[in-house]
């Protein structure tokens, strides 16, 4: 007795699916490893689109400044510094004035965002505002390859960017203020790794995931 046609269809579907999962995907990973990086970081997904990250005040943030740091030759990352709601009064709106305010002893949060988007994502901006109102300095960066930052993201690369920024902050403030590393989603992995490395270097830090 011949098997019903639907049984052949089911068997064929299972066979094709199995081939794709166990042959096609591994082959894709082997010959096109960069696709995995794109899938992990999703840095090509930018929302909101066409924004000027040099104008963070357009997202309702104040007081705030935007600047860039070269974390290694050829890699420049974009950073925002948002002051606490009750900051030391600024004498002017220059980088030096923000640097002076950074050393006022109030705690600092180094915010490491998740995959996709930029530091200007709506939910991220809302969190910055909450943290500002709790009287924290908030430092947010886009890792290499995200937002207006140059370079191509990799695990080593984005962790290097985060450690560079932490050490830059520590040089600015000395031991006058605690620096809290706050990681979200992908950023929680970055925060965990860099906190481990900073502890091994005997650099004090607090970790929030």
């Amino acid at each position: 007795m011949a098997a019903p046609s639907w049984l052949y269809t089911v068997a064929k579907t299972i066979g094709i699916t199995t081939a794709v999962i166990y042959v096609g995907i591994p082959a894709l990973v082997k010959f096109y490893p960069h696709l995995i990086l794109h899938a992990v970081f999703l840095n090509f997904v930018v929302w909101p689109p066409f924004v000027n990250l040099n104008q963070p005040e357009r997202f309702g943030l104040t007081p705030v400044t935007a600047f860039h740091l070269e974390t290694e030759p050829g890699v420049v990352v974009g950073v925002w510094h948002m002051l606490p709601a009750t900051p030391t009064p600024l004498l002017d709106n220059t980088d030096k004035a923000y640097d002076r305010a950074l050393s006022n002893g109030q705690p600092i949060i180094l915010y490491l965002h998740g995959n996709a988007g930029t530091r200007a994502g709506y939910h991220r901006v809302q969190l910055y505002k909450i943290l500002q109102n709790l009287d924290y300095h908030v430092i947010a960066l886009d890792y290499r390859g995200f937002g207006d930052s140059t370079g191509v993201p990799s695990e080593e690369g984005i962790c290097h960017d985060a450690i560079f920024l932490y050490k830059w902050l520590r040089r600015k403030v000395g031991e006058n203020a605690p620096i809290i590393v706050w990681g979200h989603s992908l950023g929680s992995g970055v925060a965990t790794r860099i906190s481990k490395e900073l502890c091994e270097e005997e650099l004090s830090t607090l970790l929030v995931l």
Side-chain angles (χ1 to χ4, degrees), residues 78-153:
V79 185
W80 286 350
H81 174 197
M82 291 139 278
L83 295 184
T86 54
T88 302
L90 291 173
L91 298 177
D92 50 57
N93 197 36
T94 64
D95 288 342
K96 288 184 178 180
Y98 277 85
D99 285 350
R100 287 193 296 270
L102 194 60
S103 301
N104 65 4
Q106 289 172 281
I108 301 163
I109 289 181
L110 172 55
Y111 179 76
L112 305 175
H113 68 64
N115 58 2
T118 71
R119 61 192 187 277
Y122 176 80
H123 61 292
R124 293 166 186 161
V125 169
Q126 300 313 304
L127 176 60
Y128 306 154
K129 292 176 180 179
I130 291 172
L131 296 174
Q132 281 185 284
N133 286 330
L134 292 174
D135 278 344
Y136 289 99
H137 289 274
V138 183
I139 306 292
L141 86 155
D142 274 318
Y143 318 108
R144 64 185 64 197
F146 286 79
D148 56 349
S149 300
T150 64
V152 178

Side-chain angles (χ1 to χ4, degrees), residues 13-178:
T13 301
I14 293 174
I16 292 174
T17 303
T18 302
V20 169
I21 293 174
Y22 291 102
V23 179
I25 293 177
L28 200 62
V29 172
K30 178 177 177 59
F31 294 107
Y32 302 97
H34 63 279
L35 292 179
I36 296 300
L37 293 179
H38 285 301
V40 170
F41 297 117
L42 296 177
N43 57 305
F44 59 89
V45 178
V46 180
W47 190 264
F50 313 116
V51 297
N52 185 349
L53 294 171
N54 288 319
Q55 297 178 328
E57 62 278 1
R58 297 186 65 178
F59 300 93
L61 296 167
T62 185
V64 60
T65 187
F67 60 97
H68 294 82
L69 294 172
E70 186 176 43
T71 60
E72 65 182 34
V75 177
V76 178
V77 300
V79 185
W80 286 350
H81 174 197
M82 291 139 278
L83 295 184
T86 54
T88 302
L90 291 173
L91 298 177
D92 50 57
N93 197 36
T94 64
D95 288 342
K96 288 184 178 180
Y98 277 85
D99 285 350
R100 287 193 296 270
L102 194 60
S103 301
N104 65 4
Q106 289 172 281
I108 301 163
I109 289 181
L110 172 55
Y111 179 76
L112 305 175
H113 68 64
N115 58 2
T118 71
R119 61 192 187 277
Y122 176 80
H123 61 292
R124 293 166 186 161
V125 169
Q126 300 313 304
L127 176 60
Y128 306 154
K129 292 176 180 179
I130 291 172
L131 296 174
Q132 281 185 284
N133 286 330
L134 292 174
D135 278 344
Y136 289 99
H137 289 274
V138 183
I139 306 292
L141 86 155
D142 274 318
Y143 318 108
R144 64 185 64 197
F146 286 79
D148 56 349
S149 300
T150 64
V152 178
S154 66
E155 179 183 346
E156 294 295 327
I158 66 175
C159 288
H160 174 83
D161 296 339
I163 287 179
F164 181 95
L165 184 52
Y166 177 92
K167 291 182 176 179
W168 179 88
L169 286 169
R170 185 53 74 195
R171 288 195 299 271
K172 292 284 185 182
V173 303
E175 297 298 328
N176 293 332

